[in-house]
Amino acid sequence: MLSAVPAWVFGALALVSGALVFRLDSMAKVTFALLASFLFVAGEVLLLGLGYLGVVLVLMMVMEMVIMVVFMIMYMMNPAGLMPMAMFHNTRGSAAIAGGIFIALTVGIFLVDWPARAGRPPADSTLALGESLMGGQMLTMMTLGLALFATIVASVVLATHRGRYDRFGDDLRADHPDDPIPGGVGR
Amino acid sequence: MTEVPLWSLAVLPAVLGAATIVAIAFDVALSARAGGRAASLTEVVVVPLREAVRLLVGQRRVTTAADRVLWRTGVVTVPVIALLAALVLPLGGVAVADLGVGVVWFNAMEILAWAAVWMAGWGPNSVLSLVGGYRFVAQGLAYELPHMFALISAATAAGTLRVGGIVEAQSGVWFVVWMPVAFVVYLLSAVAMAFRGPFDAPTGRDLAGGAVEELSGVDRLVFQGGRWLLLVVAVAMSVPLFLGGGHGPLLPPWLWTVLKTAAVLAAVLWLRRKFPTVRMDRFAEIAWVVLIPLTILQALAVGVLVLTW
């Protein structure tokens, strides 16, 4: 049970860096504390023998958090960006909710009558995951993909204040779009 | 794949460090040549060494209200991720750790460069440095997706995410032959990842150095050295992915790997002087409008070939 040691260490570090999210006073530090927390969770997933999921977790979370830090600083910090701020809103209420959920989940872990393991772990968990996603769960993944893509397109359409008439003129006949940032293709 | 002893973990940084020093020396020689004179051997060796020593004894610059934690973390992360990514890099059929998900591991480590450069730019509380950090994030958003499709093409053709398996799959025809687009895009993104010219806008002269503007002394040495290391590792990875790894006639596999890596690295270093710095906005549109469709078509072609052939 040598892997129990890193499992506990990763778990503790994930909790500590998760708690740091609410203790630190800079949005940049907060975001990277959250990233550290996710990376420790990825470590736990790797310890479970799920190589692909663990590494993909690292990949996704780094990309996500770097993009998030841009938006978080844009929305939540003062323009200079380096002045202290706090992550708290509704301090007591959120502490009560978070603490309550944590206790409920922890109690649940010990109270649930967990079933004994049926079956064996696959020899290649990546292959098993791929076959599941591209086989039995194909419909789920396709629906998910479409929903995500529709959300992205919809939010971009809602967010931009410029439409095709701004770009190509009232009769849409302009040869070159009138864009604030020209781009590199030379349209 | 043979079982790899633990001491290879210590050898890896030494080998990569040596390769990086050679690459820097070659770059110094190219610089001298661009200046219209031939560089002597002593100059090629002494110039980078002197710069390293100068940085080692140099004083750290202190800025007002710097975010030291993120700054130092960002600086140290660059060489660390380069080494971690290199764990899966095979040298003639032997990698320190030939992981089952090697390609994804490589990708995950190199993407940490986003966080590293942004943190290094954010840390010193300096405008130009911060702009440099943001530029790298924009550049990352541009190069990453074509880069991933290039990796996917190679992995699809081999039917495995293991780098050793990808090399084995090229015992006949090298992947570069039937996926040239993926190869070229991979090299482009490798250079963009290490923000070397023509993708050096994050550290551009128009920003007085951008993300490295406030770095001095040992910080600068670690960051710039790590950046070179990242370039060497990313370019070296193109050999097992597309150029058949250690496969080749007569010579032993490790020598073929070294020769191929040296050739690609030399070509990249030589070519980068032929192009001016590419602006973020331009590269972003080229990446999303031209490179992504091209690499998707490449991945599609590879997929169809794998299924039918």
Side-chain angles (χ1 to χ4, degrees):
Chain A
M1 282 287 94
L2 204 65
S3 66
V5 178
W8 279 102
V9 172
F10 284 158
L13 286 174
L15 279 182
V16 168
S17 39
L20 277 179
V21 171
F22 295 94
R23 299 299 306 171
L24 295 171
D25 61 358
S26 133
M27 205 24 112
K29 277 185 193 152
V30 162
T31 312
F32 285 105
L34 188 57
L35 173 61
S37 183
F38 283 133
L39 293 186
F40 291 125
V41 173
E44 298 277 24
V45 176
L46 285 175
L47 283 177
L48 290 174
L50 299 169
Y52 182 80
L53 281 182
V55 177
V56 158
L57 212 55
V58 174
L59 185 85
M60 303 294 292
M61 284 308 154
V62 174
M63 284 177 102
E64 229 161 77
M65 285 301 134
V66 173
I67 291 167
M68 187 159 121
V69 77
V70 173
F71 283 92
M72 289 307 239
I73 287 168
M74 196 155 66
Y75 292 147
M76 292 187 67
M77 276 184 135
N78 63 328
L82 282 162
M83 295 299 283
M85 47 70 67
M87 277 290 281
F88 294 112
H89 310 283
N90 182 20
T91 316
R92 295 220 178 117
S94 55
I97 295 170
I101 291 177
F102 183 78
I103 291 170
L105 288 175
T106 316
V107 170
I109 290 173
F110 289 105
L111 289 189
V112 169
D113 184 19
W114 296 105
R117 178 173 222 161
R120 303 157 59 87
D124 186 350
S125 62
T126 310
L127 186 71
L129 178 71
E131 277 176 345
S132 169
L133 289 184
M134 293 293 132
Q137 299 300 324
M138 189 67 162
L139 186 63
T140 320
M141 297 311 288
M142 294 302 281
T143 316
L144 195 70
L146 261 171
L148 282 175
F149 188 63
T151 312
I152 293 169
V153 172
S155 39
V156 169
V157 167
L158 287 175
T160 183
H161 65 289
R162 287 166 53 81
R164 55 189 165 147
Y165 295 108
D166 302 301
R167 301 184 69 221
F168 291 98
D170 291 340
D171 51 2
L172 297 176
R173 293 244 176 96
D175 291 333
H176 296 286
D178 176 23
D179 287 335
I181 297 168
V185 182
R187 284 177 300 178
Chain B
M1 283 292 138
T2 43
E3 196 61 34
V4 182
L6 206 60
W7 52 258
S8 62
L9 211 57
V11 171
L12 179 77
V15 170
L16 284 174
T20 306
I21 288 169
V22 172
I24 295 174
F26 182 67
D27 197 56
V28 169
L30 282 179
S31 288
R33 206 164 148 260
R37 60 200 177 75
S40 65
L41 195 62
T42 38
E43 181 190 346
V44 160
V45 178
V46 166
V47 168
L49 205 65
R50 192 172 53 201
E51 177 70 3
V53 172
R54 187 183 72 81
L55 289 176
L56 267 180
V57 297
Q59 226 173 24
R60 257 191 186 147
R61 192 177 302 173
V62 178
T63 56
T64 314
D67 188 336
R68 274 206 211 102
V69 179
L70 290 191
W71 196 7
R72 303 268 184 271
T73 312
V75 167
V76 173
T77 304
V78 178
V80 169
I81 55 159
L83 286 176
L84 285 176
L87 287 183
V88 295
L89 196 66
L91 179 63
V94 185
V96 173
D98 197 17
L99 304 175
V101 290
V103 172
V104 192
W105 168 267
F106 180 77
N107 200 202
M109 289 307 118
E110 64 191 18
I111 217 158
L112 274 160
W114 290 25
V117 178
W118 190 87
M119 284 194 273
W122 166 268
N125 187 21
S126 145
V127 175
L128 296 180
S129 169
L130 184 62
V131 174
Y134 275 107
R135 277 190 183 179
F136 187 68
V137 176
Q139 179 155 306
L141 286 170
Y143 78 70
E144 194 56 43
L145 281 174
H147 179 74
M148 282 179 171
F149 281 114
L151 291 179
I152 288 169
S153 300
T156 308
T160 176
L161 291 169
R162 199 167 55 83
V163 181
I166 293 177
V167 174
E168 281 158 29
Q170 299 175 76
S171 55
V173 185
W174 294 357
F175 284 170
V176 66
V177 177
W178 50 298
M179 45 186 93
V181 176
F183 175 65
V184 172
V185 168
Y186 178 86
L187 280 187
L188 277 182
S189 51
V191 178
M193 189 187 306
F195 43 107
R196 286 275 151 205
F199 300 105
D200 56 353
T203 54
R205 241 185 283 179
D206 55 333
L207 292 181
V212 297
E213 180 214 2
E214 299 289 352
L215 290 176
S216 57
V218 69
D219 289 337
R220 196 183 187 87
L221 181 66
V222 170
F223 190 86
Q224 297 285 48
R227 196 176 153 203
W228 268 106
L229 200 61
L230 194 60
L231 179 75
V232 169
V233 170
V235 168
M237 191 66 173
S238 72
V239 172
L241 284 180
F242 298 102
L243 296 174
H247 290 299
L250 298 176
L251 302 175
W254 66 267
L255 192 56
W256 269 118
T257 312
V258 170
L259 285 178
K260 285 176 190 172
T261 308
V264 182
L265 200 54
V268 164
L269 290 179
W270 179 73
L271 272 175
R272 82 181 179 95
R273 294 169 177 279
K274 303 289 164 195
F275 299 96
T277 298
V278 184
R279 283 210 322 263
M280 298 295 89
D281 50 341
R282 286 176 179 264
F283 180 48
E285 194 178 65
I286 293 170
W288 280 76
V289 176
V290 180
L291 296 186
I292 291 183
L294 273 180
T295 44
I296 289 181
L297 283 177
Q298 174 76 87
L300 179 71
V302 168
V304 170
L305 270 175
V306 166
L307 285 179
T308 54
W309 192 16

